[in-house]
Amino acid sequence: MITFLFALVAPTITISPSVARPPIVTTVSPTERSARRQTVVVMQPMSGRCEDGALDFSRVQTPIADLLWVTGSNADQPVTMSFRIDESGRPLGIQRDPATYGMAADLAPSLAASRFASGAAREGCVIVYQPKRSSIADTDLQHLIGYSIFAQSRPPKELFDRIAPAGSDCNTKRPAVLLRAVPDFEKIPATTGRSDWSMVQFDIDAAGKPVGLRIYGATGNQALDKASLKAVEQSRFTKGAKQGCLYPYTRRGGTLAAPESKEIAAYRSEDSNCPQTVEWKSQPTLTYPENFRRRDIEGWAVIAFDLAPWGGVGNAKVVAAEPATEFGEAAQRIVLGSFTAPSKQGYSNCVVRVRYAMQRQDRAAQVNVD
């Protein structure tokens, strides 16, 4: 039996969820679907500036494409991201217009993984992203391959047909894999905050040996490209010639550590009457923001709240969150979903910090509360 404690000043509790939160699936009726269309949406940075002048956003990462059911022109509205930049060039305090949630889930994480010029901190920065919509048939292959690799649910057959090389027959009576060679990923440099991928195209000769290997699409990690070609070359399949086969290898990104945080006592108001520790009687639902987890981006949030005499949590609000407000929103839900032991008078102005970290051994998402 585990006792779950939120330590308001000192102690720390660690809980490691073993299963990531499942994706949200929206059911679309045939009538609705007839009035809508499935569209690939790519968010492209179009302009940027800070309080002190222009902002060079040329190296800002392009978010992973989304495949959405879109109606009307709402998906054509530009999205503004607000943030500041620290002396190292790292964007912090990332916020987006709440009206744009539900599309471009990778927008804030891709910005958090980007870097600007170092040397001086900058305040009041914004980047405006313009959605670019296109059909699966008209979308650049690089975006489609990236989407297929990181999609939270199985992409439609139309997308795989579009990705397939011209003249491919590899998915017709697909050959069985006798040996699947895998690169030694630990020897391949990782890109912090972003997973790299290499999609290898190859044919299979009559004996089941891969031939005619080449890189069909990639993120630019040359070491991964080289290792992927070698791994496919060493793989073997059942006999029978095939053309236009594809296989991707992915090198998971390096962990982007959370920014530094002040001591939790610094966030506690002078009129707080909370005890040093509070025992929580119900296990909170600990969720790591999935869009940041898949990029191995860590973060934290400080939540202020009140406790009713019967143990309920109320008036929970985000005091601080880094590197993006989405960590604060997830932490607020954790606190609101918790329940404490009853008290005679209740407490006000309590504070708790929720830390989101990636375990170094198995890369499981870890949520710590202190």
Side-chain angles (χ1 to χ4, degrees):
M1 179 176 180
I2 300 176
T3 300
F4 293 86
L5 297 176
F6 285 133
L8 302 182
V9 175
T12 299
I13 283 293
T14 300
I15 306 97
S16 301
S18 58
V19 180
R21 183 175 60 180
I24 298 174
V25 179
T26 302
T27 302
V28 181
S29 70
T31 301
E32 291 175 315
R33 185 163 295 185
S34 65
R36 304 163 75 184
R37 58 192 183 281
Q38 201 167 25
T39 304
V40 180
V41 179
V42 178
M43 304 298 290
Q44 298 180 323
M46 300 300 294
S47 64
R49 63 177 295 106
C50 296
E51 287 180 356
D52 58 358
L55 175 67
D56 179 8
F57 58 92
S58 59
R59 292 187 297 172
V60 170
Q61 294 189 24
T62 300
I64 299 171
D66 273 342
L67 185 61
L68 306 172
W69 289 99
V70 178
T71 181
S73 59
N74 61 319
D76 293 325
Q77 297 300 314
V79 178
T80 299
M81 303 294 292
S82 305
F83 55 99
R84 70 182 190 279
I85 302 173
D86 69 9
E87 293 182 353
S88 71
R90 181 176 184 175
L92 297 173
I94 299 171
Q95 303 181 55
R96 66 183 292 184
D97 182 351
T100 63
Y101 281 107
M103 61 180 292
D106 191 47
L107 196 55
S110 63
L111 178 55
S114 302
R115 284 296 177 271
F116 299 91
S118 60
R122 306 184 71 180
E123 299 288 337
C125 302
V126 297
I127 291 180
V128 178
Y129 291 79
Q130 180 62 51
K132 179 184 178 182
R133 292 195 290 171
S134 59
S135 67
I136 291 176
D138 295 330
T139 300
D140 183 88
L141 277 178
Q142 186 84 356
H143 292 306
L144 291 181
I145 295 172
Y147 174 83
S148 70
I149 291 174
F150 300 110
Q152 300 299 295
S153 58
R154 182 171 176 79
K157 180 178 181 298
E158 179 188 358
L159 186 142
F160 288 115
D161 291 342
R162 169 73 172 83
I163 292 176
S168 172
D169 63 353
C170 204
N171 288 329
T172 303
K173 292 185 178 180
R174 183 178 301 179
V177 179
L178 301 180
L179 170 65
R180 176 75 74 191
V182 179
D184 185 350
F185 292 111
E186 293 303 316
K187 294 182 178 180
I188 300 173
T191 302
T192 301
R194 188 195 75 190
S195 292
D196 287 317
W197 54 265
S198 296
M199 179 70 83
V200 180
Q201 178 183 345
F202 58 100
D203 299 332
I204 301 174
D205 67 15
K209 179 182 178 181
V211 295
L213 285 72
R214 73 179 186 90
I215 296 297
Y216 189 64
T219 53
N221 188 325
Q222 295 183 1
L224 177 61
D225 293 345
K226 182 179 179 180
S228 297
L229 288 169
K230 182 178 180 180
V232 172
E233 184 180 28
Q234 294 174 340
S235 299
R236 291 294 182 269
F237 302 84
T238 50
K239 293 181 179 181
K242 292 290 181 180
Q243 293 183 342
C245 303
L246 296 174
Y247 192 79
Y249 289 96
T250 303
R251 173 58 165 109
R252 189 161 181 172
T255 298
L256 179 57
E260 292 295 324
S261 171
K262 295 184 291 186
E263 293 296 327
I264 189 65
Y267 297 102
R268 183 168 174 157
S269 64
E270 295 181 357
D271 57 351
S272 173
N273 67 347
C274 274
Q276 295 297 306
T277 60
V278 172
E279 183 179 357
W280 296 79
K281 292 298 185 182
S282 65
Q283 176 180 345
T285 301
L286 300 168
T287 54
Y288 201 113
E290 175 60 23
N291 51 344
F292 286 89
R293 185 205 62 78
R294 69 179 179 177
R295 280 183 174 267
D296 293 86
I297 297 176
E298 300 180 338
W300 57 264
V302 175
I303 307 296
F305 57 98
D306 298 332
L307 291 174
W310 55 88
V313 175
N315 197 29
K317 56 185 178 182
V318 181
V319 176
E322 292 292 0
T325 56
E326 291 177 46
F327 284 103
E329 294 159 2
Q332 185 180 38
R333 290 191 291 269
I334 289 174
V335 174
L336 284 172
S338 306
F339 204 84
T340 72
S343 60
K344 292 182 179 180
Q345 75 284 354
Y347 303 104
S348 60
N349 297 319
C350 307
V351 290
V352 67
R353 177 170 46 207
V354 180
R355 299 180 188 268
Y356 299 87
M358 302 303 300
Q359 291 181 331
R360 299 303 189 268
Q361 297 299 320
D362 56 10
R363 296 296 188 90
Q366 184 180 62
V367 183
N368 303 336
V369 184
D370 63 78

